[in-house]
Amino acid sequence: MWEAEWKGVVLTDESRICLQHHDGPIRVWRHRGERMLNSCVMHSYTGSAPGIMVWDGIGYHSRTPLVRIAGTLNSHGYISEVFEPVVLPYLQGLATAIFQQDNA
């Protein structure tokens, strides 16, 4: 029964794509005595890296268009750039849907 219910769920999320470096933590395994070897050192970039933020939603049989987010996405921007122009028309095209927003 749960499989039929999940077919009506639409999941959404946003993601930042960094163009110069990874903007999250990076884990490195080193052996004892290798800490300062050049092959084990990763130089970091301290300035703001160029990148883009994108948003998308997926359902069982379809997906929303990919939306490029300019700048920071706040509640007003989410409603005006994503929810009204993309999410509402997408949900209206589905017979039954449960909209699952990630609440970030």
Side-chain angles (χ1 to χ4, degrees), residues 18-98:
C18 247
L19 301 178
Q20 286 188 340
H21 67 288
H22 188 275
D23 61 350
I26 299 173
R27 301 193 188 278
V28 178
W29 285 93
R30 295 181 291 233
H31 295 286
R32 188 170 289 176
E34 289 184 338
R35 181 173 183 179
M36 299 307 286
L37 289 177
N38 280 336
S39 61
C40 296
V41 174
M42 180 179 283
H43 299 281
S44 62
Y45 181 77
T46 58
S48 61
I52 60 170
M53 169 107 32
V54 293
W55 176 95
D56 197 12
I58 59 169
Y60 188 79
H61 295 291
S62 61
R63 65 177 181 81
T64 66
L66 187 67
V67 179
R68 182 174 186 259
I69 306 297
T72 304
L73 186 63
N74 57 23
S75 60
H76 176 70
Y78 179 76
I79 291 170
S80 64
E81 297 176 34
V82 176
F83 194 75
E84 289 176 345
V86 179
V87 175
L88 288 180
Y90 176 74
L91 292 176
Q92 289 171 351
L94 301 175
T96 60
I98 300 168

